[in-house]
């Protein structure tokens, strides 16, 4: 009588797929899976002039003056696309830093071919 252990989901095929996939692709897939947990829309699916809730990881945070006033800009990546979050009149926001997981809500617009959300409502999410 032989007993067999149950085969794990993905099995050998999943193992080889993970080996052939780059680290960046694996991270992107993981971020896309997390969207549902945050109740967010994939950035790639966001159209301009509409309100959306997005979530992802901040890649960069920079201070750039806009019209003579300070503006804090952060690039948010969710595995599908990127969006620039811009807080006008702000030099720094505690917790807004590269690597941080953020959920943001606001009106999406297009500026210089990039998706932008000005003064979004945001929520800092726990990492990992």
């Amino acid at each position: 009588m032989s007993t067999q252990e149950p085969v794990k989901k993905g099995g050998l095929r999943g193992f080889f797929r993970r080996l052939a996939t780059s680290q960046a692709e694996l991270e992107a897939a993981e971020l896309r899976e997390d969207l549902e947990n945050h109740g967010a829309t994939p950035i790639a699916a966001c159209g301009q002039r509409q309100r959306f809730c997005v979530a992802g990881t901040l890649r960069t945070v920079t201070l750039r003056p806009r019209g003579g006033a300070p503006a804090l800009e952060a690039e948010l990546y969710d595995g599908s696309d990127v969006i620039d979050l811009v807080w006008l009149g702000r030099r720094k926001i505690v917790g807004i830093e590269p690597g941080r997981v953020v959920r943001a809500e606001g009106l999406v617009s297009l500026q210089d071919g990039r998706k932008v959300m000005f003064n979004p409502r945001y929520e800092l999410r726990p990492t990992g």
Side-chain angles (χ1 to χ4, degrees):
M1 186 166 153
S2 83
T3 58
Q4 294 181 349
E5 289 187 30
V7 177
K8 291 182 181 176
K9 190 174 181 180
L12 196 55
R13 188 177 309 146
F15 173 74
F16 285 118
R17 185 179 309 120
R18 285 189 301 275
L19 280 179
T21 306
S22 75
Q23 185 64 29
E25 290 171 321
L26 289 172
E27 288 172 2
E30 189 176 308
L31 284 170
R32 285 190 303 268
E33 287 175 11
D34 285 345
L35 289 176
E36 191 173 306
N37 297 336
H38 296 292
T41 301
I43 295 169
C46 294
Q48 64 176 338
R49 297 186 181 154
Q50 293 180 24
R51 290 187 70 79
F52 287 98
C53 175
V54 295
T57 302
L58 296 177
R59 283 182 162 175
T60 60
V61 178
T62 56
L63 178 63
R64 278 202 190 107
R66 285 180 177 257
L72 187 66
E73 295 186 11
E75 183 183 72
L76 184 76
Y77 177 65
D78 73 350
S80 72
D81 202 356
V82 295
I83 189 167
D84 293 328
L85 306 178
V86 180
W87 289 274
L88 300 169
R90 302 294 297 264
R91 293 182 187 279
K92 183 168 178 48
I93 299 174
V94 176
I96 299 295
E97 56 198 27
R100 187 65 192 243
V101 176
V102 173
R103 182 176 180 265
E105 185 178 338
L107 184 70
V108 175
S109 60
L110 208 57
Q111 192 171 62
D112 298 326
R114 290 178 60 97
K115 293 178 182 175
V116 181
M117 194 179 281
F118 288 98
N119 296 321
R121 279 198 260 170
Y122 67 95
E123 181 180 320
L124 303 174
R125 305 299 293 225
T127 54

